[in-house]
Amino acid sequence: MIGYVTLGTNDLERAARFYDALARHWGVGRMMEFDQFIAWGDMESPQAAIAATRPFDGNAASVGNGTMVALMVDSPEKVHAVYDTALAHGGTDEGAPGPRGDDGFYAGYFRDPDGNKLNVFCMTESA
């Protein structure tokens, strides 16, 4: 149902380096690029894409309180890999990878260099 998620940035070049590194974990790259906007994903895939943009109204980008983008992978090992990549490329920790609850939800939480909150998760067998 979701086609793409857009996150604001005040430094598109920095955001590009961050999301270029993360996108590699899904085997995708930049699918759209303009002076103000870059999107990562695959135009032929039904999976949602992610984009970074300078706000079109010209005001500073700000973080939405309570807003988070969840990125799905297929194993706890990939949760750790994406989380580690995020921190290595200027992201900050918001919760180390691990199981959350007893329903098989396994996730790591981080913020991008602009402060946008993301998580990377997978579903494992329930405890």
Side-chain angles (χ1 to χ4, degrees):
M1 181 178 310
I2 295 174
Y4 63 93
V5 173
T6 302
L7 298 171
T9 182
N10 292 305
D11 186 337
L12 191 58
E13 291 177 17
R14 180 183 66 190
R17 288 189 301 273
F18 182 83
Y19 287 104
D20 282 343
L22 291 187
R24 290 184 192 105
H25 289 281
W26 286 270
V28 299
R30 297 179 187 187
M31 65 180 204
M32 297 176 94
E33 187 169 356
F34 304 99
D35 291 340
Q36 191 164 342
F37 173 92
I38 301 171
W40 292 263
D42 179 352
M43 292 287 238
E44 303 302 316
S45 171
Q47 292 188 336
I50 192 165
T53 188
R54 291 185 196 104
F56 284 89
D57 65 7
N59 292 320
S62 61
V63 177
N65 189 23
T67 301
M68 182 180 71
V69 175
L71 306 169
M72 186 168 48
V73 295
D74 60 8
S75 71
E77 294 78 19
K78 288 185 182 176
V79 169
H80 285 268
V82 173
Y83 173 87
D84 291 343
T85 298
L87 297 189
H89 287 84
T92 56
D93 171 56
E94 282 286 317
R100 303 295 196 273
D102 60 2
D103 63 355
F105 186 74
Y106 193 96
Y109 296 81
F110 55 92
R111 291 188 183 268
D112 74 7
D114 284 290
N116 296 298
K117 188 172 181 178
L118 299 97
N119 87 5
V120 57
F121 77 97
C122 69
M123 298 305 296
T124 62
E125 290 189 32
S126 297

